[in-house]
Amino acid sequence: MRTTKTYLIFLRFFFCFFLASVAAPVQADVEEDTRPRNVRVVWLRNPSTTATLIWDTVKPTTDNSVRIQQHGAEEARTHKARWNESYSYADKENVDLNYHRVLIDGLLPSTRYDVEFESDGQKSRRLYFVTAPDDNRSMTFLFGGDSRSDQRARRSVNEMMAELVTEAQATEDPADDIVGLIHAGDYVATGTSLKQWSRWLGDHELTTAEDGRLLPIIPARGNHDRGRLFNEAFGFKIKDQHNWYGVSFGTFLRVSVLNTEASVAGRQAKWLDQELATNRATHRWLVAQYHRPAYAATKWPSSALIHWVPLFEKHNVDLVCEGDGHTIKRTVPIRNGKQDPTGIVYVGEGGLGVPPRQPKPKRWYLQSPGMCGSGHHVQRLKFEEDTLTYEVVLLGGKIGDRWEKKK
Amino acid sequence: MDDDQTNRSLAQTSLWVLRIALLVRALGVGASYLWHPMERESDIYGTMYFEWGWPESTSLAIENAGMWLVVIGAIVIVLANRNKRDLTPFRLAIVIVLANRNKRDLTPFRLVAILMLAFIVFWEIAMASGLAYRGGKFMSQWALGSHGLRIAVPAALLLHTLGFGAKAILRVLYVGAITTFLVHGAQAWFGSPVFITMIIATLQSYFDCTIDQSQVEQILKFIGAMDFCVVAAILLLARSRSGVLRKLMLGTLLWMAFWGLVTAVGRTTGASLGAYPETLLRIVHLGGPLVLYVEWVRHQSTGSSVAQPNPEVQHHLPCEQPKLT
Ligand SMILES: [Fe+2]
C-alpha cells in the first residue's frame, strides 16, 4: 500500500514536472514575444519639450503604453501608443516585428524623465531620457554615420557611445553632457530588409548608458536606407519622402537635417535656403548634416556640392557633417571652392560599424590643416558660447583628431 | 532584321561608331575610376571589399587593374583594328610582340581584340551586377538593364571580331538599347531624384530658367512615357515592311541616338564641367542607337535581296556561323 502511495506521489511529481517543463518555455516565449524591446528616443522637432518614443514587440500587442515621470516627482503620466503597426516587408523575410510609437509634448527642458514601456502587461526596465536644454547653455553631441555592415564593430561603437555618455555625466563641466546622437544615415545595407533593421534596432539599445539613460537620435536618411522602414523606425510619416527637417536647441544651436536621397535641388534647396536664413538670424550655431558628401574623402562629390554648398556659404553655416565614405575626414575651411579662413569645414564620412576605407589624401581639401584617416569612430561635437570643439573618438577611446572653431 | 543580315557584316561606319563609342566610354571609365582628381571606386571594389570581405588593398588592386585593362583594351581595339592600311606604331608594336605566323586565322590583332573585348564585356557586366547586388542607388536593382548599352557595345564588337554577322550583332544592340531605355524610362516615370536635380540644374545654369519641382516631376512622367513608347515602337516596328512604318522606325532610332546624347550631356550640364566623365561614360547611349540607325538606313537602301558577306570575317574565321534564328 505504502509502495503504491509512494509510486503515486512520484508519478504526480513527475507529471507536474513534465507539465511545468513544457509550459515554462511557452510562457517564456509569450513573454519574450511581447516584451518591449529596441527602445529609442527620436528628436524630429523641438527636443526641449517633445520627444518621439518608439519601441518594438515581436508579436502584435493591443495594450501598449509608456509611463513617464519627471525624475523625483510623484505624479506619473501614462501615454497610450497611438501607432501600433507591423513593420513593412515583414513577409519578405518572414520576420515578426511590430512598432509602437508615442509622441509626447509638454515636457520641460533639461529635465530627466523616467520612462517604462509596457506592451500587453510586459514591462521594460526603467529607463530615462533628458530633454534638450533651451537656455543657451553649452552642450555636447555625438555625430556619426554608416553603421550598416559590420555588426561586431557597430556593437562595440555603440557600447563606446554609452560609455562616453556615462563619462560625460561624471565630469565637472556640465557642457560635456552628451545630449544626443546625430546620425548621418546608412543604418543597414538593404533598407527594405526588416531582418537587418531588427538587428540595428537591437544594437542601438547598446547606446543606452548603464544607469538607463537613453541617447536620443537625430536621424538622416542614407543611400542604403531606401523604403519605408527608415520612416517606421524613426517615427516619420510612412510615406514621407522628404525626411528633411530642423531641430533647435533653444536659440543656441540649430541642426538642419538634409536628405541626399531626395532631389537636392528644387523643394529641398528652397527649404534649406529658408531654413538657414531664418535660423542664422536667431541661432548662435548652425550645423547641417546629411549622408552623401559634397567634399568627399573617397567618392565622387554628391550634388550637394552644387546645390547646398553655396547656401551653406551664403548663410555661414558653422559646421557641415557628412557620411557615406567610411573614412575619417575634416576638410580645410572652404569658400567658393577654395581654401579660405572664413570658409566652412566639412567633417565626418561615417564609421559607426562599417569596414573602414582608406581615404584619398591627395584631394586638396583634405590636406593640412585638414585631415583624413581611417578607423571605426564617432565624432564628438562640443558647442560652447564662443568655441566649437570637434574630436574624433576612435574605437578604444583614443582621440584621432581634434579641431576648434572660434566664433 | 531580315535573314540576309545573318551573313552580312556591319558597315564600316557602324564599326567605327562602335569603336569610338567604346573608346570614349573607356576614357570616361579611366577618368571616373583612375585619373580624375575625384576618381572613385566602382561596385566591383565595393563587392570585393564590403560584401566579400576581401582585403582593401587586394580589392583596390583588382579594381584598378581592371579599369586600366578597359582603357588599354579600348585603345587597342581602335588603333589596332584589322585594316592593314591603318598601320600605326602602336599596332606595329603589337605585331612585333605578339606575331605568330603559324596561325593565319587567328592573327595577333584578332586574338588581342577578342581577349580585350571579352574582358571589357565581362567587366561591364561585373560593374552592373555589383551595383545591382549592392544597391544604394535609385532602382539600382535593375542596373543590368540600365547598363544594357554599356554591355552591348563591346559585346557587339566582340561578336564582330568573332565573325558573327550583322543580325546577331544588331540583336545584341537592340536588346541593350531596349533595356537601357526601359529602365531609364522607369526611373524617369518614378521620379528619379538624380533626374530631377539634373533637369533643374541644367535649366538654371544654361537657360536661366527656374522651374518648379512639381513641373519637373510632370516632365519626367512624360520622358518616362516617351522612353516606354520608344521601346514599344522598336518591338513593334523592327519587322515592319510598310514604308511608313519603316520611316517611323528610322525616326525612333534617330530619336534614341539624339536622346542618348542629350541625357549623357545632361549629366555634365546638370552638375559642373568637372563632371565630364559622367557624359563620357554614357556616350554609348548615343553610339549604340546610332549604329542601329545607320544599319537600318543601309538595310533599307540595299534592300533585303542583297547579302554582303563579311570578307574580313570569312578570311579570318573560316568556321561556320552559328544558327541564330
Ligand atoms: Fe552610403
Side-chain angles (χ1 to χ4, degrees):
Chain A
M1 192 69 188
R2 195 169 200 176
T3 322
T4 316
K5 207 170 177 183
T6 313
Y7 176 73
L8 278 174
I9 288 170
F10 177 76
L11 202 67
R12 211 174 289 160
F13 176 77
F14 179 78
F15 186 66
C16 289
F17 179 77
F18 174 76
L19 270 185
S21 63
V22 170
V26 171
Q27 184 60 30
D29 275 357
V30 170
E31 285 172 9
E32 197 55 25
D33 287 349
T34 58
R35 180 179 65 83
R37 61 180 69 205
N38 307 347
V39 169
R40 62 251 185 219
V41 178
V42 189
W43 282 341
L44 302 178
R45 45 189 75 80
N46 186 354
S48 306
T49 57
T50 67
T52 304
L53 306 180
I54 312 175
W55 71 101
D56 301 333
T57 51
V58 172
K59 292 285 171 210
T61 44
T62 49
D63 191 10
N64 303 287
S65 61
V66 56
R67 185 174 179 275
I68 181 164
Q69 184 176 30
Q70 189 181 333
H71 189 64
E74 284 189 2
E75 190 197 354
R77 284 183 288 166
T78 300
H79 293 260
K80 287 248 176 231
R82 282 173 52 202
W83 294 274
N84 301 285
E85 303 284 343
S86 171
Y87 279 99
S88 297
Y89 321 117
D91 296 341
K92 210 175 80 176
E93 292 165 311
N94 210 11
V95 178
D96 281 339
L97 204 62
N98 300 267
Y99 63 92
H100 314 285
R101 193 197 313 160
V102 174
L103 173 64
I104 298 179
D105 51 18
L107 301 171
L108 298 171
S110 303
T111 304
R112 171 176 165 166
Y113 285 94
D114 297 329
V115 281
E116 212 170 19
F117 300 84
E118 186 170 345
S119 285
D120 283 358
Q122 292 292 316
K123 284 183 184 170
S124 72
R125 72 174 170 130
R126 207 177 168 98
L127 300 158
Y128 77 94
F129 69 96
V130 181
T131 51
D134 75 340
D135 55 1
N136 298 348
R137 73 178 68 174
S138 303
M139 62 186 93
T140 300
F141 285 84
L142 295 178
F143 163 71
D146 300 83
S147 48
R148 67 180 174 83
S149 49
D150 184 343
Q151 199 186 9
R152 195 190 295 181
R154 176 169 76 204
R155 292 175 69 87
S156 302
V157 176
N158 285 355
E159 282 163 0
M160 182 176 81
M161 286 197 266
E163 281 165 27
L164 290 174
V165 169
T166 305
E167 281 169 22
Q169 279 177 300
T171 69
E172 303 265 293
D173 186 359
D176 286 337
D177 190 46
I178 293 169
V179 297
L181 166 66
I182 301 168
H183 198 304
D186 271 6
Y187 308 83
V188 292
T190 309
T192 52
S193 167
L194 182 53
K195 209 177 243 177
Q196 291 180 24
W197 272 105
S198 172
R199 272 189 224 127
W200 187 89
L201 291 163
D203 292 346
H204 180 68
E205 284 204 327
L206 296 170
T207 61
T208 303
E210 215 177 319
D211 67 350
R213 180 170 177 176
L214 293 157
L215 181 64
I217 185 168
I218 301 173
R221 192 191 272 267
N223 62 309
H224 283 270
D225 310 319
R226 286 172 193 284
R228 292 192 292 268
L229 292 174
F230 171 82
N231 286 345
E232 292 168 354
F234 295 122
F236 292 91
K237 285 181 184 147
I238 302 296
K239 288 188 177 167
D240 192 343
Q241 290 184 348
H242 287 176
N243 304 125
W244 60 75
Y245 59 100
V247 181
S248 278
F249 295 84
T251 54
F252 189 64
L253 167 70
R254 176 81 174 180
V255 179
S256 304
V257 182
L258 296 158
N259 178 7
T260 44
E261 301 320 298
S263 173
V264 300
R267 283 182 208 115
Q268 190 169 196
K270 243 183 226 169
W271 175 85
L272 180 63
D273 197 12
Q274 191 65 46
E275 155 85 4
L276 297 178
T278 311
N279 292 296
R280 179 71 289 173
T282 50
H283 289 71
R284 182 141 192 88
W285 297 102
L286 284 190
V287 172
Q289 82 130 342
Y290 51 87
H291 187 65
R292 294 197 207 223
Y295 286 101
T298 55
K299 296 194 173 183
W300 193 256
S302 74
S303 305
L305 182 62
I306 309 287
H307 298 276
W308 295 347
V309 166
L311 299 176
F312 298 152
E313 293 177 5
K314 178 178 158 192
H315 300 292
N316 290 310
V317 167
D318 294 294
L319 185 73
V320 177
C321 301
E322 306 180 313
D324 194 35
H326 305 192
T327 62
I328 301 167
K329 71 120 184 267
R330 174 173 51 78
T331 71
V332 299
I334 302 169
R335 190 175 290 279
N336 296 321
K338 285 191 286 249
Q339 185 174 342
D340 184 322
T342 70
I344 290 156
V345 170
Y346 299 75
V347 298
E349 292 263 345
L352 295 179
V354 278
R357 289 189 60 175
Q358 288 303 321
K360 299 184 190 292
K362 282 188 184 159
R363 296 191 176 183
W364 65 269
Y365 46 80
L366 299 177
Q367 288 167 26
S368 181
M371 73 76 71
C372 60
S374 186
H376 304 296
H377 69 279
V378 66
Q379 274 116 338
R380 187 162 50 193
L381 313 171
K382 183 176 178 181
F383 297 89
E384 292 171 289
E385 182 64 15
D386 295 316
T387 314
L388 158 57
T389 308
Y390 159 89
E391 283 176 323
V392 174
V393 186
L394 298 167
L395 192 57
K398 250 176 98 177
I399 301 300
D401 182 33
R402 193 170 193 280
W403 166 77
E404 268 186 12
K405 179 190 168 90
K406 293 276 179 201
K407 265 283 182 193
Chain B
M1 286 190 285
D2 291 333
D3 288 342
D4 63 293
Q5 286 182 322
T6 306
N7 295 321
R8 196 175 74 170
S9 174
L10 288 189
Q12 278 300 315
T13 318
S14 303
L15 286 171
W16 274 109
V17 170
L18 286 176
R19 286 187 195 120
I20 290 167
L22 183 84
L23 180 64
V24 174
R25 161 133 177 102
L27 294 175
V29 166
S32 297
Y33 303 109
L34 294 168
W35 58 70
H36 192 281
M38 291 295 137
E39 57 89 17
R40 60 189 191 264
E41 278 67 46
S42 75
D43 285 293
I44 293 178
Y45 157 88
T47 304
M48 289 185 291
Y49 180 45
F50 295 119
E51 315 305 329
W52 295 346
W54 293 12
E56 190 181 16
S57 53
T58 311
S59 310
L60 262 180
I62 294 172
E63 156 107 358
N64 288 340
M67 296 301 175
W68 274 116
L69 261 178
V70 168
V71 176
I72 293 166
I75 294 171
V76 168
I77 304 307
V78 172
L79 295 185
N81 72 79
R82 283 174 291 127
N83 189 338
K84 286 185 180 172
R85 280 169 297 179
D86 294 336
L87 193 69
T88 61
F90 186 75
R91 187 180 164 224
L92 199 63
I94 291 175
V95 173
I96 293 163
V97 175
L98 294 171
N100 179 351
R101 288 172 192 178
N102 296 330
K103 293 185 181 174
R104 276 178 53 209
D105 292 327
L106 201 62
T107 64
F109 303 133
R110 290 194 65 242
L111 182 62
V112 169
I114 288 167
L115 290 176
M116 291 288 193
L117 284 166
F119 177 77
I120 294 173
V121 172
F122 159 75
W123 200 250
E124 292 287 5
I125 292 173
M127 276 202 272
S129 309
L131 176 55
Y133 174 52
R134 297 191 64 227
K137 283 187 181 162
F138 189 72
M139 295 180 83
S140 51
Q141 66 271 36
W142 303 107
L144 272 165
S146 60
H147 286 216
L149 276 167
R150 300 179 187 199
I151 299 164
V153 164
L157 281 168
L158 176 64
L159 289 181
H160 172 78
T161 315
L162 286 171
F164 283 82
K167 185 166 186 175
I169 296 169
L170 292 179
R171 187 160 282 181
V172 165
L173 285 173
Y174 271 112
V175 170
I178 286 169
T179 61
T180 303
F181 271 72
L182 211 53
V183 178
H184 282 95
Q187 288 173 339
W189 181 267
F190 290 108
S192 156
V194 172
F195 291 176
I196 294 174
T197 304
M198 191 168 84
I199 292 173
I200 291 175
T202 301
L203 291 175
Q204 249 169 19
S205 312
Y206 291 85
F207 301 95
D208 201 20
C209 163
T210 307
I211 185 167
D212 202 58
Q213 187 170 331
S214 52
Q215 285 172 289
V216 177
E217 282 156 1
Q218 292 302 312
I219 293 171
L220 276 177
K221 280 258 187 274
F222 177 73
I223 290 172
M226 283 290 288
D227 285 353
F228 297 144
C229 288
V230 162
V231 170
I234 285 183
L235 292 173
L236 293 172
L237 302 175
R239 288 178 179 276
S240 62
R241 302 213 170 249
S242 127
V244 180
L245 294 181
R246 281 175 165 259
K247 278 201 175 122
L248 198 59
M249 177 74 172
L250 205 65
T252 307
L253 292 172
L254 201 58
W255 169 259
M256 281 178 103
F258 167 73
W259 193 241
L261 177 66
V262 167
T263 49
V265 170
R267 296 285 175 156
T268 298
T269 57
S272 67
L273 291 180
Y276 72 89
E278 294 293 313
T279 297
L280 302 187
L281 286 174
R282 291 167 179 83
I283 215 69
V284 287
H285 297 172
L286 162 69
L290 203 56
V291 169
L292 295 176
Y293 172 78
V294 168
E295 289 297 316
W296 189 264
V297 171
R298 185 169 159 241
H299 183 47
Q300 275 198 315
S301 58
T302 54
S304 59
S305 59
V306 186
Q308 295 176 322
N310 176 354
E312 292 173 21
V313 168
Q314 292 205 338
H315 171 74
H316 289 292
L317 200 76
C319 63
E320 261 193 30
Q321 291 294 308
K323 266 260 183 248
L324 292 160
T325 49

